[in-house]
Amino acid sequence: MTTILWDVDGTLLLNSFTGGGELYHTAVERAVGRELSPALPRTHGKTDGHILTDILEHFGFDPAEWHERAREALDALSVERAKAGDRREIAPGIREALDQADARGWVNALLTGNSATRSRVKLDGSGLGADRFDWNRSFFGATAPERSDITRAARAALPDETLVIIGDTPRDDEAAVAAGIPFIAVATGVFSVEELQETGAVLVVPTIEGHLDAVFQAIEEL
């Protein structure tokens, strides 16, 4: 069986360029009950668990004590903002890619640094729909210190399946290599085609749209 492990932010959905990094900072402030300043610079490719740990440690809070509360606050904030109208845009070509993968009998699943709650909120809010994905073969980063923890979990859970990760950052590639999973890069996030070509990706495309044949040929050749 072939399973495509899709990243969410910057891959399935276009990144939010207003408030994305601020959300983590606000979640930690809500968890610890006071304002913290200045916020750390926004990062791309890290897991939710990693980002929250970085913020907590930076401001002198023990992640062992505060991480769970910060995760709960982050999930709650994501739900609140979605209800208030915060929506992501589906990346070009994604609907067709999911449809054609389904038609080939492949499994569409998720491998993301987001929590399951945040992934579902984003996918449903965009109109793409969380039900397009196999959640029993999906892997999330709410507690993962590193993205490679998620990829290793995927490889261990699905040892006999052909897996491929589709993502938009060099961290996706690093994590894929750590688990021995092939990586296809798409430049719909913040990294350019040229930057992604410096990774070990088996294929780099600017968008899924217009390049779906090449993407699927690369998967078929795995």
Side-chain angles (χ1 to χ4, degrees):
M1 179 179 292
T2 296
T3 297
I4 304 175
L5 297 169
W6 294 92
D7 180 42
V8 176
D9 297 325
T11 302
L12 291 170
L13 308 178
L14 299 181
N15 285 318
S16 169
F17 290 97
T18 56
E22 172 266 339
L23 190 70
Y24 295 97
H25 186 83
T26 302
V28 172
E29 288 184 326
R30 180 178 288 192
V32 302
R34 66 181 178 87
E35 292 185 4
L36 304 170
S37 182
L40 293 179
R42 184 177 183 180
T43 59
H44 294 275
K46 289 186 177 182
T47 66
D48 284 0
H50 194 166
I51 295 169
L52 292 175
T53 294
D54 284 349
I55 297 171
L56 288 165
E57 290 181 341
H58 178 76
F59 289 104
F61 295 94
D62 182 359
E65 179 181 356
W66 294 97
H67 203 282
E68 183 176 359
R69 275 177 275 188
R71 295 196 309 269
E72 291 172 351
L74 182 61
D75 280 352
L77 278 168
S78 296
V79 172
E80 289 171 16
R81 294 195 178 187
K83 289 180 178 178
D86 186 11
R87 298 284 188 272
R88 295 290 182 89
E89 181 180 348
I90 303 168
I94 290 299
R95 288 188 186 276
E96 181 184 1
L98 297 177
D99 289 342
Q100 290 200 23
D102 287 339
R104 283 170 166 78
W106 298 347
V107 176
N108 289 303
L110 304 172
L111 192 146
T112 171
N114 289 176
S115 70
T117 295
R118 281 167 41 74
S119 299
R120 187 174 293 277
V121 165
K122 291 177 181 181
L123 292 168
D124 283 342
S126 72
L128 186 59
D131 59 353
R132 293 299 310 265
F133 303 92
D134 186 335
W135 288 72
N136 292 322
R137 286 181 170 82
S138 294
F139 302 87
F140 305 95
T143 61
E146 299 291 343
R147 201 172 191 92
S148 58
D149 296 315
I150 318 174
T151 54
R152 290 191 180 102
R155 184 71 281 175
L158 306 170
D160 300 321
E161 297 189 15
T162 298
L163 304 180
V164 59
I165 292 169
I166 301 183
D168 65 291
T169 78
R171 288 182 184 273
D172 294 310
D173 174 61
E174 293 167 7
V177 169
I181 302 173
F183 170 57
I184 292 174
V186 57
T188 43
V190 300
F191 293 92
S192 67
V193 167
E194 291 74 22
E195 289 171 316
L196 293 170
Q197 285 173 337
E198 296 178 3
T199 72
V202 298
L203 176 69
V204 180
V205 295
T207 64
I208 295 294
E209 185 176 59
H211 301 275
L212 189 54
D213 287 346
V215 170
F216 279 13
Q217 181 178 342
I219 295 173
E220 289 169 349
E221 292 175 353
L222 295 176

